[in-house]
């Protein structure tokens, strides 16, 4: 190669400053595996101190401080990456997260539902308990007055039997009314609790308006359960009497063992039927269908349902005693220290009012826990949380009489999805 040709190769088209001749191929060091050659002069370089750019070598280790150093690299890398290694908590639009609930979440949710819907929760329970208490007090005073009048008039034992029988009949009727009232309270509380799961508040009149079609069925459910219990007790009494008549003293031991076994069976059946009022109101089913739904939902969850119901009853009972006993001592001591009849009546009325208020709060909280237990079991068995999410996104949440989950179809009842396209 001549000197002029060599000089022309070094100058180039722009007349750049001539440099040293490039090394020969055999003099260049071998390139590292999977590492491309450095970019030529004049190529674009990433700005210093800016965001990290993708490396030209896809197998190179990520630099310190890059997006891949985060616990969820797919989330930090950008919206185009799937959230495969991240955790998205379930939505919580209202008092509970829309997923299977724990015991603490259930208790807290029941408290929140009662706190956010004071009139719908406590007012309903207070109204029904007040009616029952007024009937009880009136019946008691009527029975005492009848017996006093009969005793002062010198009536015989046969004449006293009439007022006593009438009082007993009245108390039996009062017990039936009390059972119906408890069933109505438990069923109506499903309305504010279910609406509170989507952060919807419920007023007192609004709750009665939403559940107006279920009140008679709740009363019918209470009467059906009461009639079944009465028939069972009558049959058992006749059977035990026959056993004692045939076996004598040995029959008494058999009856005692049978009574203990029947107590366990009664507890089992009571838990199996505990969710029938909630199913009747929220699903709009009939009496016997609600019984079947409660029986189905508590299947394979009996012990958990039993434990939650017993624990709730113990909490309510202990708190009721803690709040009621001191007032009973104070009011009783104040009434005993005076001989004024008006003061005695006032102290009795005050004691009844305090007991009524505490009982109403306890019934409301217990009914709210039972309603959330029903929601939890449907979430676990039927995907009820998906139905609530769908209801939350719909425009019908603006309806003042909207009841979440009313038309939800359990996943177990839905038709199975067909095969993918292109497959037989």
């Amino acid at each position: 190669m001549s000197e002029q040709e060599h000089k022309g190769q070094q100058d180039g088209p722009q007349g750049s400053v001539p440099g040293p001749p490039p090394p020969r191929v055999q003099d260049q060091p071998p390139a590292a595996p999977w590492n491309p050659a450095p970019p030529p002069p004049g190529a674009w370089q990433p700005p210093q101190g800016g965001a990290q750019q993708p490396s030209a070598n896809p197998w190179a280790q990520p630099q310190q401080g890059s997006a891949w150093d985060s616990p969820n690299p797919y989330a930090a890398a950008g919206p185009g990456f799937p959230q495969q290694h991240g955790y998205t908590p379930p939505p919580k639009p209202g008092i509970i997260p829309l997923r299977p609930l724990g015991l603490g979440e259930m208790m807290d949710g029941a408290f929140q539902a009662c706190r956010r819907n004071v009139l719908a929760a406590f007012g309903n329970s207070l109204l029904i308990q007040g009616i029952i208490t007024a009937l009880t007090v009136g019946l008691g005073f009527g029975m005492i007055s009848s017996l006093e009048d009969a005793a002062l008039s010198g009536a015989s034992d046969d004449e006293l039997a009439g007022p006593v029988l009438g009082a007993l009949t009245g108390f039996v009727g009062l017990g039936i009314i009390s059972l119906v009232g408890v069933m109505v309270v438990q069923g109506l509380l499903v309305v504010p609790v279910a609406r509170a799961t989507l952060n919807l508040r419920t007023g007192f009149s609004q709750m009665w308006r939403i559940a107006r079609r279920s009140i008679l069925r709740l009363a019918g459910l209470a009467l059906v359960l009461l009639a079944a219990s009465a028939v069972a007790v009558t049959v058992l009494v006749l059977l035990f009497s026959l056993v004692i008549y045939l076996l004598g003293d040995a029959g008494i031991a058999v009856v005692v063992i049978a009574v203990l076994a029947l107590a366990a069976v009664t507890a089992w059946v009571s838990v199996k039927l505990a969710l029938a009022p909630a199913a009747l109101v929220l699903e709009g089913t009939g009496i016997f269908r609600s019984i079947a739904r409660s029986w189905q939902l508590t299947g394979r969850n009996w012990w958990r349902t039993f434990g939650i119901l017993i624990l709730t009853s113990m909490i309510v009972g202990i708190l009721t005693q803690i709040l009621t006993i001191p007032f009973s001592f104070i009011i009783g001591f104040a009434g005993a220290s005076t001989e004024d009849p008006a003061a005695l009546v006032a102290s009795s009325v005050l004691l009844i009012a305090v007991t009524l208020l505490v009982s109403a709060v306890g019934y409301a909280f217990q009914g709210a826990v039972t309603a959330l237990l029903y929601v939890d079991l449907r979430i676990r068995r039927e995907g009820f949380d998906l139905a609530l999410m769908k209801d939350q996104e719909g425009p019908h949440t603006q309806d003042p009489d909207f009841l979440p989950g009313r038309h939800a179809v359990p996943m177990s009842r839905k038709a199975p999805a067909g095969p993918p396209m292109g497959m037989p």
Side-chain angles (χ1 to χ4, degrees):
M1 180 181 298
S2 65
E3 182 177 354
Q4 291 79 7
E5 294 176 347
H6 179 69
K7 183 177 179 181
Q9 288 182 357
Q10 291 180 347
D11 290 342
Q14 302 295 333
S16 60
V17 179
R24 293 177 298 180
V25 177
Q26 59 269 22
D27 296 335
Q28 294 180 358
W34 302 103
N35 190 11
W44 180 86
Q45 297 290 339
Q48 298 295 329
Q52 295 289 340
Q53 300 296 329
S55 173
N57 181 7
W59 305 100
Q61 294 294 328
Q63 299 179 3
Q64 184 68 24
S66 65
W68 300 92
D69 294 331
S70 62
N72 184 3
Y74 295 98
F81 288 84
Q83 305 291 328
Q84 295 179 355
H85 295 280
Y87 170 71
T88 302
K92 186 181 179 182
I95 58 175
I96 58 170
L98 299 184
R99 57 167 174 77
L101 304 176
L103 177 61
E105 294 169 332
M106 204 173 298
M107 296 289 180
D108 179 70
F111 175 76
Q112 294 294 332
C114 294
R115 184 181 66 84
R116 298 183 185 184
N117 306 278
V118 176
L119 293 179
F122 299 129
N124 171 49
S125 179
L126 187 62
L127 174 63
I128 295 178
Q129 290 298 316
I131 294 174
I132 295 173
T133 302
L135 292 176
T136 303
V137 173
L139 184 61
F141 276 112
M143 183 185 67
I144 293 174
S145 299
S146 299
L147 292 178
E148 287 181 352
D149 293 341
L152 292 176
S153 62
S156 61
D157 294 341
D158 294 337
E159 295 174 347
L160 289 175
V164 172
L165 183 60
L168 293 177
T169 304
F171 278 114
V172 170
L174 186 61
I176 296 175
I177 295 175
S178 300
L179 180 61
V180 172
V182 170
M183 194 71 66
V184 170
V185 169
Q186 185 177 349
L188 291 180
L189 276 173
V190 178
V191 175
V193 171
R195 287 174 55 85
T197 58
L198 299 185
N199 201 26
L200 300 175
R201 297 183 181 273
T202 308
F204 180 77
S205 59
Q206 183 182 13
M207 177 191 61
W208 284 88
R209 185 174 65 251
I210 295 174
R212 65 184 182 276
R213 298 179 181 178
S214 302
I215 295 175
L216 292 179
R217 283 178 290 159
L218 286 171
L221 175 63
L223 293 178
V224 167
L225 296 179
L226 183 62
S229 301
V231 171
V233 169
T234 302
V235 172
L236 290 174
V237 167
L238 294 176
L239 182 61
F240 290 161
S241 301
L242 180 61
V243 170
I244 294 175
Y245 175 77
L246 295 177
L247 300 180
D249 294 340
I252 298 177
V254 174
V255 169
V256 170
I257 296 174
V259 168
L260 295 177
L262 285 174
V265 173
T266 302
W268 180 73
V269 174
S270 300
V271 172
K272 297 289 289 184
L273 302 179
L275 305 181
L280 187 147
V281 174
L282 191 59
E283 300 180 27
T285 59
I287 296 175
F288 296 101
R289 177 58 188 166
S290 64
I291 294 175
R293 285 287 290 150
S294 178
W295 200 280
Q296 174 190 8
L297 289 173
T298 52
R300 295 178 296 176
N301 286 279
W302 187 91
W303 282 107
R304 183 172 178 273
T305 306
F306 172 76
I308 292 175
L309 293 178
I310 287 295
L311 179 61
T312 305
S313 300
M314 292 175 60
I315 293 174
V316 171
I318 292 174
L319 292 179
T320 301
Q321 295 299 321
I322 291 175
L323 296 176
T324 304
I325 290 177
F327 280 101
S328 301
F329 277 112
I330 295 173
I331 295 173
F333 178 77
S337 60
T338 181
E339 297 181 356
D340 187 4
L344 293 175
V345 173
S347 61
S348 300
V349 171
L350 182 59
L351 179 59
I352 292 173
V354 170
T355 304
L356 176 63
L357 179 62
V358 174
S359 300
V361 172
Y363 276 120
F365 178 75
Q366 197 166 2
V369 172
T370 305
L372 282 180
L373 181 59
Y374 163 80
V375 173
D376 173 67
L377 290 180
R378 287 198 66 180
I379 289 176
R380 293 174 181 270
R381 298 178 63 93
E382 301 174 352
F384 191 55
D385 51 340
L386 302 179
L388 293 177
M389 293 179 193
K390 183 178 179 181
D391 286 341
Q392 181 191 6
E393 297 173 355
H396 40 261
T397 54
Q398 305 300 323
D399 184 3
D401 295 341
F402 171 65
L403 187 59
R406 167 59 65 89
H407 303 292
V409 179
M411 294 180 64
S412 58
R413 297 186 194 174
K414 293 181 181 179
M421 295 182 62
M423 295 184 62

